[in-house]
Amino acid sequence: MGLPGSGKTTLANALAPRLNAVHFNADAVRQEINKDLGFSVGDRIEQARRMGWLCDQVVKAGGYAIADFVCPTAGAREAFQVGGDATIVWLDRISKSRYADTNQLFEAPHPHHVRVSADGTPEHWAEVIVRMLRPVFDPQKPTALFVGRYQPFHEGHRRLIEEGLRRVGQVCIAVRATHGTSIKDPHDFEYIRARIEHGLRAYEGRFVVMPVPNVSHIFYGRDVGYQIERLELDAVTEAISATQIRLREATRSPLECFLGNA
């Protein structure tokens, strides 16, 4: 958010492809959807509420949404976030716009998450925002290792890995190279990785997925410096069968199988 002419749309255009985000531009939304709204204080608040609702639908579907608009007052920002908190990016690059009424109305957003100054390019600030929203996996932090075939990745796997995340903080998911070795292994690594990343999208930056050989044995010596333990989950989760899931998915399209993993 920020005054007209502060570079909101330019930044949004740089940021959207980096996040694969849906970009809602206020002018376009007003022209196509909110034709009944003007620029009174009340209409600005209603515009913010509707923009927030549009963004909420994208977020509920697991995506990122960018609301590119002035949102000039605390009341408008409250209306925008009625469905949930948002990351506030304030473009503080100009002191006034060409619209005197907006200049008079605009209140600096406090609190905010990122304050964009006149220094730096849109690409620079887009990278700053991406790094904030998508934490980078740190290979030097303590990490839990999960080794499996994930043919396919399912709810039981997700809950198991969530427990590992809860206990350790981040995880490495090692996918064994079993594709095509039997009828139980129909999926290649890229498909498995996509399903895992989609299923664990809420934990972005806290896990990494990598291929490993078809590991059949794990040996270790004494004083190895790490723990090996079995995680036991509830009976319903333990009873989930990958074989039964594969049988059900045999009659569905790849897209239906993928989305069914959400």
Side-chain angles (χ1 to χ4, degrees), residues 79-94:
F80 175 73
Q81 296 184 89
V82 71
D85 292 339
T87 300
I88 304 299
V89 178
W90 173 27
L91 279 86
D92 185 22
R93 301 180 67 251
I94 58 176

Side-chain angles (χ1 to χ4, degrees), residues 25-46:
N25 173 267
D27 292 337
V29 171
R30 281 183 177 275
Q31 181 178 345
E32 300 297 332
I33 301 175
N34 295 342
K35 296 179 180 180
D36 59 315
L37 298 179
F39 291 91
S40 68
V41 172
D43 280 359
R44 287 177 184 270
I45 290 175
E46 178 60 15

Side-chain angles (χ1 to χ4, degrees), residues 85-106:
D85 292 339
T87 300
I88 304 299
V89 178
W90 173 27
L91 279 86
D92 185 22
R93 301 180 67 251
I94 58 176
S95 59
K96 63 180 180 179
S97 74
R98 65 183 184 274
Y99 300 106
D101 59 335
T102 303
N103 295 337
Q104 185 175 4
L105 191 64
F106 190 83

Side-chain angles (χ1 to χ4, degrees), residues 6-7 10-11 91 93 116-126 128:
S6 60
T10 302
L11 176 57
L91 279 86
R93 301 180 67 251
V116 176
S117 69
D119 298 325
T121 65
E123 289 72 22
H124 162 76
W125 287 108
V128 169

Side-chain angles (χ1 to χ4, degrees), residues 149-163:
R149 292 165 39 244
Y150 306 105
Q151 296 276 355
F153 181 77
H154 55 64
E155 178 67 11
H157 295 135
R158 186 180 68 81
R159 293 184 184 180
L160 190 68
I161 290 168
E162 285 180 334
E163 179 63 17

